[in-house]
Amino acid sequence: MLKELLERFRQGYRTMPYPNDTPAMPDRFRGRPRLPDSLCEASCHACEAICPTGAIISREGKPSLDMGRCLFCADCATACPAAALSFTLEHRLSVWDREDLIIGPTMSAKMSAKLSAKMPAKMSATRKKPVDPRLRLIRRSLKLRQVSAGGCNACEADINVLGTLAFDLGRFGIQVVASPRHADGLLVTGPVTENMKHALEKTYQAVPPPRLVIAVGACAVSGGPYRDHSETHNGVSEVLPVDLWIPGCPPHPLTILDGLLKLTRGRNYTPS
Amino acid sequence: MISGPTLRLGNGQPIARSDLPRVSVAEFREQVVLSVEHGARLDALFGIPLSDKVLQIVAVLADAESGEFALTSTGVRDNYPAITPDCVQAHWFEREIAEQWAVTPKGHPWHKPIRFHRAYRPGRDAWGRDALAPIVPGVTDFFRVEGEEIHEVAVGPVHAGVIEPGHFRFQCHGERVLHLEVALGYQHRGIERALVTQPHPRILPYVETLAGDTTIGHTTAYCQAVEALADCTVPARADVIRGLALELERLANHVGDLGALAGDVGYLPTLSFCGRLRGEFLNMSALICGSRFGRSLVRPGGVSFDIEPSRAEELLARLTKVMRDVKGAVNLLWETPSVLARFEDTGFVSQKMAAELGLVGPAARASGLERDARFDFSTGIFRMAQIPVSTWQSGDVFARAWVRWLEIQRSAAFIGEQLRALPDGPLRSAYANLAPERLVVSMVEGWRGEICHVAITDGIGRLAHYKIVDPSFHNWMGLAMAMRNQEISDFPLCNKSFNLSYCGHDL
């Protein structure tokens, strides 16, 4: 017992004071992309051409970027001849509405229409409501069941990390639980493989309503690198209604934590 | 020792595709079976469709003594006599070939799917399943033990923790497990097929997410393969940075595993400490390339991020500090009798069994097999700087934990040495087109064990076939054997001591 206490003393107190104070991101961290401030050369499609997942669409010199598809590889930033595209250190990326993941000077109407056509009807309905009654229920205690539906284990690993003493998810009243019966919602990773679709649906059915669905990572948001594979679906929204979208490949643990805090602290949550 | 007229080549040494010998099925069988009997290991066994009717089956055998691979192949039609009855290592591979190409290995003792998808040859199926009926994962004939007091336990695909999906079927007598059968395929994303059919910009994201916790390992294996095909030599500085990243990946995962093992026996101090320390290593990877999982670092021709002197200093300072904490956290395990009592004699795999199954990585080394691709088939920096192979004899959970601890210390020492002596020079060499009609075998020792990639180009230098063998592919059967005669409550502990990849297996 004594040696454990001594070691505990030596290891020190390691829980970060997030969200009151955010640790510095490494200088090469690739967070929220910043698109060119001014118009690009209209004929230049360098960023669009190199993007592995078709996250960038450049029309008439105005590129727009879908963070939901983005793998944050920054190949576009390297390819940009004017060096006008960059990735900032901003880790707070989660949004309530899928469209909000698309950033750009102006979003082309066509792209937006294409996207909302794919959107489940329920989502746009919840958007209109001022306050989702479910969010009131989870303010002090949020229990989530995680389902990996084709993820590469990186998103899963960085969700797991939130349980360690460095992040200490429990202090926010948020907990990953073993049974969907005990859960307020699902935390889904992966594009939803055909082989996991049934298990994911059954897990969702086992969560007592009202329930939430959170899509974590590029795969869960849009299918990620596996988009349009016959073996996978293009993200969770093809199977379940999604309430919160957390992009990234994989998202940084703080990006995920920020998203979860948005849920428990409501729409007005603004971190200091 | 390899018998027969098989082609021999080194790790990352390209050959003309036409040099690949093609022998009769009987001779092929004999070459594989005899080679494995004489100590070679089956690294890969896969099919390449030559026409609608003929499938070429290629075997890659590793001869650790000479550091060479021996290759042989044969052509089969609808079926062929299975190799598995005479060579257990072919067991999983032959099931994979049957599932992908609808060719039946006749006499295979466990002729069942492994990933639950349709065959790549439309309209055909090794099991004659209806083309319209859905294929349901996990629905298959499980090995069953019959008896009045026998009961069956089914677990998964959705598990209690934050882990990937897989289905486990236990045959139990009371608490004692007589047999465990593992059914996977839930993570099947079709990567192998997509690698040769999808547009090129996606290749690196595919390779980086084969197993997201082994990004550096798999991406290095891929880059080594295509660099060999493009006749591109990686600069020394890039070789070192790749080696550093590979060892950081190993450190992060091994430290995390030791913490998780502590958690599975209810020893919370090490669990808590290691959970944080694992993150410190991931953050060191992020310091090098911005991503905790080493995304965007390894690229064909070299690496895309440099380690400048100030960054090297910062990494060294962090390494020294973190390793001090790791030592304190991990040594608690070896000083605590209640932990040792749970680790020792749990999940035993004998050396003979490990050799017969062809286990790789820490699982093989914990059963006393000196098997490490960094040593046996060294490439990159590992040709210049050797990391001693860490082994232990007892083959139990303790051995798998202890081997990890030995490797943690070796890897940390390696990183320290390399950071102090980074060679000068460029980060990337020119990398252009792949040579046509070539074949290359590329191997890297990832943290779970050897990662084997085989790349074959077509007549105009595109990838015509790409085979990926994740270490988990070899080791899942090891976990099943380790569970025999164990208490079912020890499954989480045994499972963690292997810590295998579901997505790396399912591809």
Side-chain angles (χ1 to χ4, degrees):
Chain A
M1 190 64 203
L2 192 60
K3 60 184 192 310
E4 279 96 347
L5 285 173
L6 278 173
E7 188 55 35
R8 166 65 186 81
F9 182 72
R10 234 184 41 73
Q11 297 264 345
Y13 182 81
R14 297 289 187 169
T15 305
M16 63 177 79
Y18 194 86
N20 298 328
D21 190 19
T22 306
M25 287 287 162
D27 58 336
R28 286 169 177 169
F29 176 74
R30 295 178 289 280
R32 174 183 286 275
R34 183 188 289 144
L35 295 181
D37 299 325
S38 51
L39 275 184
C40 300
E41 195 74 52
S43 61
C44 179
H45 294 280
C47 51
E48 190 178 344
I50 202 156
C51 181
T53 52
I56 305 182
I57 292 178
S58 183
R59 292 284 172 273
E60 288 141 23
K62 287 182 210 156
S64 62
L65 189 153
D66 180 356
M67 284 199 293
R69 287 203 195 185
C70 183
L71 305 180
F72 296 80
C73 66
D75 282 355
C76 49
T78 318
C80 179
L85 213 158
S86 61
F87 284 76
T88 66
L89 296 184
E90 178 56 61
H91 71 276
R92 296 186 168 98
L93 306 175
S94 59
V95 297
W96 299 99
D97 302 314
R98 178 67 179 89
E99 298 100 317
D100 292 343
L101 286 175
I102 300 171
I103 51 171
T106 48
M107 193 176 75
S108 78
K110 199 176 153 199
M111 192 168 166
S112 147
K114 220 164 97 186
L115 201 72
S116 40
K118 281 192 174 176
M119 212 78 67
K122 187 180 165 278
M123 247 206 54
S124 10
T126 51
R127 220 183 104 222
K128 303 271 161 24
K129 285 180 201 155
V131 179
D132 191 327
R134 293 172 302 171
L135 298 183
R136 240 176 281 148
L137 289 172
I138 56 163
R139 286 184 69 172
R140 281 157 193 265
S141 157
L142 172 61
K143 312 278 183 208
L144 295 168
R145 170 64 264 209
Q146 203 274 328
V147 180
S148 165
C152 74
N153 204 25
C155 287
E156 290 82 351
D158 267 351
I159 290 172
N160 245 328
V161 138
L162 294 178
T164 66
L165 54 87
F167 298 88
D168 192 13
L169 196 59
R171 74 194 149 114
F172 302 109
I174 307 172
Q175 196 190 346
V176 178
V177 293
S179 168
R181 297 266 186 238
H182 303 158
D184 301 304
L186 297 181
L187 200 55
V188 189
T189 54
V192 186
T193 54
E194 183 53 35
N195 282 355
M196 265 308 279
K197 181 170 176 261
H198 184 57
L200 176 64
E201 285 168 340
K202 280 183 92 168
T203 310
Y204 179 74
Q205 293 305 330
V207 178
R211 52 203 162 192
L212 294 156
V213 177
I214 307 161
V216 179
C219 288
V221 175
S222 69
Y226 316 115
R227 196 178 171 81
D228 298 332
H229 278 206
S230 59
E231 294 87 349
T232 67
H233 298 265
N234 290 338
V236 184
S237 61
E238 287 200 354
V239 183
L240 303 175
V242 176
D243 298 291
L244 186 78
W245 310 79
I246 306 180
C249 185
H252 191 278
L254 290 180
T255 307
I256 305 172
L257 181 54
D258 169 66
L260 297 181
L261 291 182
K262 238 183 192 164
L263 274 178
T264 56
R265 298 187 178 189
R267 276 171 189 261
N268 299 327
Y269 160 65
T270 38
S272 55
Chain B
M1 260 228 334
I2 307 285
S3 354
T6 49
L7 169 79
R8 301 177 73 90
L9 71 161
N11 190 0
Q13 180 193 341
I15 51 146
R17 191 175 173 177
S18 54
D19 287 347
L20 183 63
R22 207 170 133 190
V23 297
S24 71
V25 176
E27 207 176 327
F28 176 80
R29 251 187 124 265
E30 195 181 285
Q31 282 176 354
V32 173
V33 171
L34 283 181
S35 303
V36 171
E37 259 175 34
H38 288 116
R41 206 163 38 77
L42 195 57
D43 283 320
L45 184 75
F46 58 96
I48 305 171
L50 291 183
S51 67
D52 278 353
K53 295 210 169 79
V54 183
L55 182 78
Q56 183 180 22
I57 299 187
V58 182
V60 179
L61 294 146
D63 179 13
E65 250 172 67
S66 66
E68 285 178 315
F69 301 115
L71 271 71
T72 182
S73 83
T74 188
V76 300
R77 281 169 185 269
D78 291 334
N79 59 63
Y80 68 98
I83 303 170
T84 305
D86 297 313
C87 172
V88 181
Q89 289 176 26
H91 162 224
W92 216 258
F93 286 114
E94 290 197 303
R95 286 168 65 176
E96 183 187 38
I97 292 170
E99 185 166 39
Q100 291 184 336
W101 305 110
V103 165
T104 309
K106 273 168 60 182
H108 192 294
W110 272 11
H111 183 42
K112 299 185 262 198
I114 62 168
R115 297 194 182 105
F116 300 90
H117 61 78
R118 294 222 183 276
Y120 295 162
R121 290 163 141 184
R124 294 179 57 169
D125 190 89
W127 295 275
R129 291 172 293 192
D130 187 346
L132 296 173
I135 293 177
V136 185
V139 176
T140 180
D141 296 324
F142 285 94
F143 181 83
R144 290 189 76 154
V145 179
E146 301 287 345
E148 229 172 82
E149 294 183 339
I150 301 297
H151 63 109
E152 194 178 57
V153 180
V155 182
V158 180
H159 300 283
V162 184
I163 40 169
E164 297 177 73
H167 180 76
F168 302 105
R169 197 70 74 92
F170 300 89
Q171 309 295 318
C172 299
H173 181 244
E175 291 287 301
R176 194 160 61 99
V177 176
L178 298 173
H179 181 71
L180 156 66
E181 189 166 346
V182 182
L184 301 172
Y186 297 92
Q187 303 282 72
H188 179 58
R189 294 147 286 161
I191 299 183
E192 258 187 12
R193 191 157 64 142
L195 272 170
V196 291
T197 54
Q198 285 281 332
H200 263 270
R202 284 213 200 165
I203 288 187
L204 280 161
Y206 282 143
V207 178
E208 288 188 330
T209 56
L210 284 170
D213 47 25
T214 319
T215 297
I216 299 291
H218 272 293
T219 315
T220 306
Y222 165 77
C223 288
Q224 255 175 218
V226 291
E227 283 153 6
L229 294 171
D231 197 18
C232 159
T233 311
V234 177
R237 193 174 176 85
D239 262 346
V240 176
I241 294 176
R242 282 182 183 182
L244 286 172
L246 185 72
E247 295 312 309
L248 272 178
E249 193 169 80
R250 194 181 319 278
L251 280 172
N253 285 294
H254 279 6
V255 168
D257 282 352
L258 289 180
L261 282 169
D264 279 336
V265 298
Y267 188 66
L268 301 186
T270 304
L271 169 70
S272 319
F273 302 147
C274 284
R276 190 243 335 162
L277 294 165
R278 173 178 168 277
E280 298 290 341
F281 292 113
L282 296 177
N283 289 340
M284 285 167 73
S285 293
L287 185 64
I288 298 176
C289 68
S291 155
R292 285 156 56 90
F293 295 88
R295 302 281 162 87
S296 297
L297 174 63
V298 180
R299 287 291 177 263
V303 291
S304 44
F305 294 98
D306 195 12
I307 300 180
E308 315 90 321
S310 60
R311 207 173 289 268
E313 241 168 70
E314 165 78 16
L315 283 167
L316 265 174
R318 286 201 203 177
L319 181 73
T320 319
K321 239 168 102 184
V322 177
M323 276 310 290
R324 209 184 306 136
D325 288 350
V326 170
K327 210 172 161 188
V330 172
N331 277 335
L332 285 177
L333 290 177
W334 324 128
E335 292 164 4
T336 308
S338 62
V339 170
L340 293 179
R342 293 282 281 111
F343 280 9
E344 285 170 357
D345 299 322
T346 307
F348 173 68
V349 179
S350 70
Q351 184 171 356
K352 187 169 166 283
M353 176 70 76
E356 210 171 319
L357 292 174
L359 298 192
V360 295
R365 297 192 278 276
S367 290
L369 294 175
E370 282 191 37
R371 183 172 287 173
D372 189 328
R374 289 172 294 175
F375 183 81
D376 299 328
F377 302 94
S378 51
T379 50
I381 180 63
F382 301 106
R383 287 168 302 184
M384 265 78 87
Q386 280 296 342
I387 295 184
V389 182
S390 309
T391 62
W392 197 250
Q393 304 297 325
S394 56
D396 49 7
V397 171
F398 171 78
R400 290 187 283 277
W402 184 251
V403 164
R404 283 184 171 91
W405 172 230
L406 295 175
E407 292 186 12
I408 288 167
Q409 298 169 78
R410 301 293 195 194
S411 296
F414 171 87
I415 293 173
E417 277 166 35
Q418 295 303 319
L419 279 175
R420 286 188 190 91
L422 269 172
D424 293 329
L427 292 176
R428 273 174 105 157
S429 311
Y431 165 82
N433 301 332
L434 308 183
E437 296 289 342
R438 298 262 147 173
L439 179 152
V440 68
V441 179
S442 168
M443 190 182 275
V444 167
E445 184 76 16
W447 64 274
R448 281 195 186 93
E450 63 162 54
I451 296 161
C452 182
H453 288 201
V454 185
I456 298 171
T457 52
D458 64 8
I460 53 168
R462 287 176 314 193
L463 286 177
H465 201 86
Y466 201 89
K467 178 74 211 144
I468 299 151
V469 188
D470 188 84
S472 307
F473 198 87
H474 298 284
N475 282 5
W476 274 110
M477 201 60 202
L479 170 64
M481 298 315 286
M483 273 312 289
R484 286 201 171 170
N485 288 314
Q486 297 296 306
E487 302 277 305
I488 192 168
S489 50
D490 274 341
F491 175 65
L493 180 61
C494 291
N495 191 19
K496 200 69 205 174
S497 75
F498 281 85
N499 194 7
L500 301 175
S501 174
Y502 301 72
C503 55
H505 170 277
D506 292 346
L507 299 176

